[in-house]
Amino acid sequence: FQGRYGKGYYSAFILKEFQEQKTRKKRVGINARYLQRHRSGIERYIYELILNLSEEETVTKGPEKKEVEYVLFFNNHAPVPSLDLSSNFKIYISQFPTKSRLLRLIWEDFFLYYEIKKQKIDMFHGPSFFIPFKKYKNCKYVITVHDLAFLRYPKSFTFATQLYYKIFFSRSVALADTIITDSESTKNDIMQYYCVDEKKIRVVYLGISKDFLKKQEKSYMNKVKEKYGLKPPQIIDYKALVGDASDNYPGVTGIGPKTASSLLNKYETL
């Protein structure tokens, strides 16, 4: 391995690097910045992903346990949420200014690459469509693609959003070593629109949080009734009528919250 330069500086340096790689834990980075905003669909996905990874690390014991260290990347414009995680999870707060949405996108698409490199990340997961525009050679990139609504329903997106996805999402798909998606339908869309090899895509269905398996107390039912004038099971139909900007669907034209509540009180369901 060291050859005739066995006692030289560079061979010693290479040997030291080799030994460090053998002994150090593998580092997995996750873009967790979305947890610093209102928690809706994608934010819920990231939150549950991190909590379940932590729980898995806590439960798994013995020699079979893989030595992995997780690094959660956050921005500095908002508080980092409180997360009860196992000891092998590290919080990394970027010093790049991210007060505006534009700056956060610049961080995610460009500056994050340098932080991945600095933290010596072995695998990086972009759980919401995007990974940095440039690839760190020693790191595997993984993205989660939840849907291709911006292509299927372009009228629901602004021109600027469509342009952004066209440039940066296309690049993310090309750079990713593995693409995770929630459904066979989205898998087929990715293959159709981006000509991606099927072997590169893994369908991982969404799980159900334990919170949704609990029987709701009467006080919760009363809160929903007080806020919307509806029963909890009717909220899905309510959202379908009024729309939800966080999930990029417009609802029914001309129907606002009062009309939606009135219709569902009269007919119960769509």
Side-chain angles (χ1 to χ4, degrees), residues 29-227:
I30 301 175
N31 183 358
R33 79 167 181 91
Y34 296 91
L35 295 182
Q36 293 174 282
R37 65 186 192 185
H38 172 70
R39 191 172 298 166
S40 57
I42 290 175
E43 293 79 16
R44 185 80 189 187
Y45 168 80
I46 299 170
Y47 176 77
E48 293 292 344
L49 170 69
I50 291 170
L51 287 189
N52 280 276
L53 283 172
S54 176
E55 184 177 338
E56 182 72 17
E57 287 290 319
T58 303
V59 171
T60 307
K61 296 180 179 179
E64 297 81 17
K65 182 177 179 181
K66 295 180 180 179
E67 292 296 324
V68 178
E69 185 175 66
Y70 295 91
V71 181
L72 307 181
F73 288 85
F74 288 95
N75 291 159
N76 60 12
H77 71 284
V80 173
S82 177
L83 299 167
D84 185 16
L85 303 173
S86 56
S87 59
N88 59 331
F89 277 76
K90 309 297 180 186
I91 302 296
Y92 177 86
I93 303 175
S94 174
Q95 295 307 304
F96 185 85
T98 52
K99 288 186 177 181
S100 70
R101 184 169 183 264
L102 177 60
L103 287 172
R104 289 192 289 276
L105 293 178
I106 292 173
W107 172 82
E108 185 171 63
D109 295 320
F110 299 106
F111 195 78
L112 178 56
Y113 159 80
Y114 298 100
E115 296 181 326
I116 290 171
K117 186 176 181 180
K118 180 181 177 181
Q119 293 297 312
K120 296 182 179 180
I121 300 299
D122 298 292
M123 186 181 80
F124 181 78
H125 183 195
S128 179
F129 297 93
F130 301 103
I131 46 181
F133 203 74
K134 186 178 179 181
K135 188 170 185 180
Y136 173 41
K137 65 179 181 179
N138 295 326
C139 181
K140 297 291 185 181
Y141 277 0
V142 179
I143 57 170
T144 297
V145 180
H146 301 279
D147 57 58
L148 294 188
F150 64 96
L151 290 175
R152 286 290 190 181
Y153 310 102
K155 291 183 179 179
S156 299
F157 296 81
T158 65
F159 173 77
T161 300
Q162 290 184 57
L163 182 63
Y164 178 80
Y165 271 85
K166 185 176 182 179
I167 298 171
F168 291 96
F169 178 69
S170 299
R171 178 68 173 172
S172 293
V173 169
L175 286 181
D177 295 282
T178 300
I179 300 171
I180 298 172
T181 187
D182 307 334
S183 67
E184 289 288 342
S185 176
T186 302
K187 174 185 173 180
N188 293 333
D189 283 347
I190 296 168
M191 292 167 62
Q192 176 186 341
Y193 285 103
Y194 294 96
C195 300
V196 175
D197 188 338
E198 184 177 6
K199 294 178 181 177
K200 187 175 175 177
I201 308 171
R202 293 189 61 185
V203 177
V204 181
Y205 296 109
L206 299 177
I208 301 175
S209 170
K210 295 175 183 178
D211 294 340
F212 294 103
L213 301 177
K214 297 176 183 177
K215 187 175 180 180
Q216 297 295 345
E217 298 179 359
K218 193 172 181 180
S219 58
Y220 171 79
M221 310 279 278
N222 292 335
K223 285 180 181 178
V224 174
K225 182 73 175 175
E226 183 181 338
K227 184 174 181 178

Side-chain angles (χ1 to χ4, degrees), residues 1-3 5-22:
F1 172 72
Q2 294 182 11
Y5 301 102
K7 296 182 180 180
Y9 169 78
Y10 284 109
S11 59
F13 176 78
I14 292 170
L15 183 61
K16 182 181 178 183
E17 288 284 308
F18 181 72
Q19 293 295 338
E20 284 182 359
Q21 288 182 12
K22 285 180 65 177

Side-chain angles (χ1 to χ4, degrees), residues 213-258:
L213 301 177
K214 297 176 183 177
K215 187 175 180 180
Q216 297 295 345
E217 298 179 359
K218 193 172 181 180
S219 58
Y220 171 79
M221 310 279 278
N222 292 335
K223 285 180 181 178
V224 174
K225 182 73 175 175
E226 183 181 338
K227 184 174 181 178
Y228 298 101
L230 300 169
K231 300 173 184 176
Q234 293 177 295
I235 298 302
I236 295 175
D237 288 348
Y238 172 84
K239 290 286 187 179
L241 288 170
V242 301
D244 191 334
S246 64
D247 281 328
N248 294 306
Y249 60 88
V252 179
T253 303
I255 295 184
K258 289 184 179 179

